Amino acid sequence: MAKLREKVHAEYEQIENLLNEMPGPEKLPYLSFLELAGVATLLHNFYNGVENILKQCLYAENIPVPSGNSWHKDLLVTSVENSILSQDTILRLGEYLAFRHFFVHAYALDLYADKMESLVKNVKVVFGEFQQEINAFLQKYS
């Protein structure tokens, strides 16, 4: 399962690169509309990377990836049910899932710095917690 590790670490690298581009939350109120849309895209990409990793973990375990209208939420639930992530972590990731849904279905004109502040402020911590749990899961493939 070295291939799983490689895929996960490639996703980690992409996520780390985009988080390095993320401005601090204190800068959000001063960003232009286009810059704020860029931050929203980075948050969306962060969550997509998380989902990519979770799907790879399920594939490795021969667990079907959820489908249907609620597959994004079901992916988190399935990850807890199969001891990939903890309930605490999926609760924190749930905020990014909610933002992902908003980002995909809303107009960019509806983006507001104050609504994204906590997501930007916490994204590196949430990613660190996520990485710890995924790394623990990957130990069984050592």
Side-chain angles (χ1 to χ4, degrees):
M1 280 293 156
K3 201 164 186 112
L4 173 61
R5 276 188 184 285
E6 290 172 18
K7 289 178 180 180
V8 168
H9 286 283
E11 290 289 344
Y12 282 171
E13 187 175 322
Q14 292 292 349
I15 293 170
E16 288 165 358
N17 288 339
L18 70 87
L19 292 181
N20 287 334
E21 297 299 320
M22 187 85 64
E26 71 285 350
K27 293 182 180 179
L28 292 180
Y30 306 103
L31 298 180
S32 71
F33 165 74
L34 289 176
E35 291 168 326
L36 204 56
V39 172
T41 301
L42 293 175
L43 289 168
H44 178 262
N45 289 166
F46 161 72
Y47 192 75
N48 282 345
V50 165
E51 286 188 333
N52 290 343
I53 291 168
L54 293 176
K55 288 188 285 186
Q56 289 302 318
C57 292
L58 292 179
Y59 293 144
E61 296 280 297
N62 293 314
I63 299 166
V65 173
S67 60
N69 291 338
S70 64
W71 80 265
H72 297 279
K73 182 180 178 189
D74 295 341
L75 181 63
L76 293 177
V77 171
T78 301
S79 297
V80 170
E81 291 172 348
N82 290 281
S83 302
I84 298 169
L85 294 178
S86 69
Q87 186 68 36
D88 287 343
T89 297
I90 71 157
L91 287 175
R92 293 186 61 127
L93 287 171
E95 296 177 49
Y96 295 89
L97 170 57
F99 181 79
R100 180 220 161 272
H101 181 80
F102 170 80
F103 180 81
V104 169
H105 297 285
Y107 288 98
L109 294 171
D110 294 329
L111 295 170
Y112 297 100
D114 60 328
K115 301 284 187 192
M116 293 191 295
E117 184 179 354
S118 68
L119 295 171
V120 170
K121 180 179 178 183
N122 296 322
V123 69
K124 290 181 181 179
V125 171
V126 171
F127 179 54
E129 292 170 357
F130 173 78
Q131 270 186 299
Q132 284 182 324
E133 291 187 15
I134 293 298
N135 290 342
F137 171 79
L138 291 174
Q139 288 301 313
K140 67 180 178 176
Y141 292 101
S142 298

